[in-house]
Structures are given as C-alpha cells and as structure tokens.
Amino acid sequence: GIITAKSATAATGGGAQAYTLGSTAGFGIYWGSGAPTISAAKGSLYLRTDGTGAADRAAINTDGGTTWTSIVTVA
C-alpha cells in the first residue's frame, strides 16, 4: 500500500488532508479546526484540533463527499 504524509500542512477551518492512504482518490486522514466541510472518500477520518466535547473530536466520512458523522469519544 501507499501512505503519503503531508508535512507542514497548517490546520485550517473545515479541514486539510494529512495522510493519503492507498490508491483510492481522497481516502485518508484529515484534520483541522471546526466542523469538517472538506470533500473526502467514504470512510476517511477527520481529527478536529478544537473539539471540546465527546461528540466533536473526530468524524468519519459517510458519503464520499462532504457528509461527516461524529465519532463519540470518551470525555
């Protein structure tokens, strides 16, 4: 498989891709401040730098576009 790290990428509102995983376009790990608005492949993971509660720290893409569903974490 292929893993590509995106070094020196600043956290942006809505997200930026940090890692590309495999050869599926847009599949990877994203991060940023605020709720994710970036388009990504279904199953991609978003890690939020400013999450404050159990339901706003991480999300998973559910439609291959801009729909993200919160992953509930331990507070």
Side-chain angles (χ1 to χ4, degrees), residues 2-66:
I2 300 168
I3 298 176
T4 304
K6 310 286 183 168
S7 64
T9 301
T12 59
Q17 191 170 31
Y19 294 95
T20 300
L21 303 173
S23 61
T24 300
F27 184 71
I29 300 172
Y30 294 75
W31 69 298
S33 61
T37 57
I38 194 165
S39 183
K42 188 174 185 178
S44 291
L45 182 64
Y46 180 85
L47 304 176
R48 188 169 168 175
T49 60
D50 63 344
T52 58
D56 69 354
R57 294 182 181 133
I60 190 165
N61 188 286
T62 56
D63 73 346
T66 58

